[in-house]
Amino acid sequence: MSINFKHPLSQKSVYIAVLCACLIAVAAFAVLSFLITRDSRKNTDEFAKRTFFRKYESIEKEFRNIEDDQYLLRALILKDGLKNYKNYSLVLNDLNRKRNQLPYSWYYYNNISGESETNSRMLSDIFSKKKDNGRPVILKNRAPGHFKDLLVTNKDSLFWVSYDSLILPNKNVLYYGSTVSLDDLHQYFINVDKSSNTYAYVFTKEGICITHPEKKYIGKSIFEFTDIKPKDTLSAQTKSGYTAGTAISEYLGVEVTRFIKPLQTDNFEGYAVVNHINFIIDENVYKVKTYTVYIFLAALFLIVTVFILFQRSAGIAYREKEKMQAEKNLLLIENEKMHKAEVINQLQQLKNNINPHFLFNSLNSLYMLIDINKENAQKFTMNLSKIYRYLIVPPKENIVPVTQEINFIQQYMELLKSRFGEELNFKLIINNKESLEKRIPYLSLQIVTENAIKHNIATVDQPLEIMISVEENGIVVKNTYQLRKEPVQGEKFGIDYLSQIYEYFRINSLNISVDGEYFVCFLPIMN
């Protein structure tokens, strides 16, 4: 395993990292729990809606089955009048019993002579205006059907009665229709579409509950035993055609999602309520959250354990690597010392060669000048004595302030002017005074200047121009490029010295080039 840590982690760093990991994990767990709860709630809402529609459709189907029996009886009676109404009622009742259907078909024939005939004593009491069993409750509706609806109490039981009438030519009246015991309807809906997490009930426009899984609520106003408000039935104002919300179940005493939707047939107008129990969903969400916590704790423990073991392994590996690096650095330092010592010896040899080389060149110039102009020779000798003091004690590191080199090169150029006269033109420009405080290699200006004189023609007709300008990053030495035809000995001696000393100080911006009519040498300065 490759370890690239710069420093091993301290115990405090480990604790901080573990704490950050815990906080990140807790935040991730909170987000995960929120997403799980949101998605579970969303899925539950979708499931509740599907359950609601299924329950609603089953209720609507049963109400339409009741209505189909009513229309069948009506069609038969309108077709045959009084001929076979007794048989029609009898046959329909037999069919309903065999099909486990709820409606009980009945008839009541009222003769103007005062005689009556019926197959239901209860209906006889109603239409003969007897009130022993209480006044019937009229269920109003705006449906287009022909039947009228009543809620009738008989022998402590509540019946839903739907009836129509036929007035005969002799003004006799035949009442016919169907009767549904709400107790039977209650039992019937308990067995229809059984579901452990939903229950439904139906109430009329007046708020009277006609079916409910709790029998004691049948016939009572839903506004008394539930928290349903009239505004909850305003489903026409919603896009979905029903209203939905959470409530506390009057039946189970738990939180439910309650859906209310109009239930309307040709002869009935009311509302169906479907309640979806929420505690089953919440229990499932809680289990998911619990399992998520277990997984989170196990993952966190594993992360912390691996992190600590990795930190210890990294510490051991780093100490080994640090030991090896220390040994390697020690070897590099020794090697660097040896290399520098070798370079210094080479530079010292070059410097020892430069001093006599400069002296010999100066003496040769003096020898030539004595024959030409004795006065200039004397002046040359005085300048030579002044500048040679600069060469007696050379600096140890071979670098000097720029100011000293500038002063030296001015004296040196006066020496050369005594020899060459009008054959040599010299110009010094200081563009950046701050550069005078920096440093430059020892005798670098003299080496470049001497190199220009050695390699180029200098005559009265074709004078040699030498220009030195002090810039921000270095000193530029320019001379007219007019090379001699004859070869010159030791032409690279001075340039090699400058290259090596700049290399020693790891500066590689020394630049020597020819720019048109000028030979240009750029000497970088050092801080």
Side-chain angles (χ1 to χ4, degrees), residues 331-349:
L331 292 175
L332 291 174
I333 291 172
E334 294 296 330
N335 186 46
E336 185 71 16
K337 287 181 179 179
M338 293 176 62
H339 177 71
K340 285 187 176 182
E342 182 180 356
V343 172
I344 290 174
N345 289 333
Q346 293 176 356
L347 293 177
Q348 187 63 36
Q349 291 178 5

Side-chain angles (χ1 to χ4, degrees), residues 186 190 199-201 211-218 250-251:
H186 157 76
I190 288 178
Y199 71 93
Y201 55 90
T211 176
H212 195 285
E214 185 66 48
K215 193 173 181 179
K216 66 180 181 180
Y217 295 133
I218 296 175
E250 76 291 338
Y251 175 43

Side-chain angles (χ1 to χ4, degrees), residues 2 12 14 21 83 108-109 114 131 138 182 249 314 355 363 480:
S2 178
K12 182 178 179 181
V14 173
K83 294 180 182 180
Y108 173 76
Y109 177 65
K131 303 179 181 179
I138 300 175
L182 296 189
S249 170
N355 289 341
L363 292 176
T480 49

Side-chain angles (χ1 to χ4, degrees), residues 253-300:
V254 297
E255 185 183 84
V256 296
T257 300
R258 183 169 60 201
F259 299 89
I260 303 177
K261 185 176 181 180
L263 178 62
Q264 187 171 353
T265 65
D266 288 346
N267 299 298
F268 178 80
E269 193 172 6
Y271 298 91
V273 180
V274 178
N275 293 288
H276 191 279
I277 303 172
N278 291 339
F279 76 87
I280 297 176
I281 301 122
D282 295 336
E283 183 178 354
N284 292 334
V285 173
Y286 175 76
K287 287 181 180 179
V288 174
K289 286 184 177 180
T290 303
Y291 296 150
T292 305
V293 170
Y294 291 156
I295 295 172
F296 157 72
L297 293 176
L300 183 62

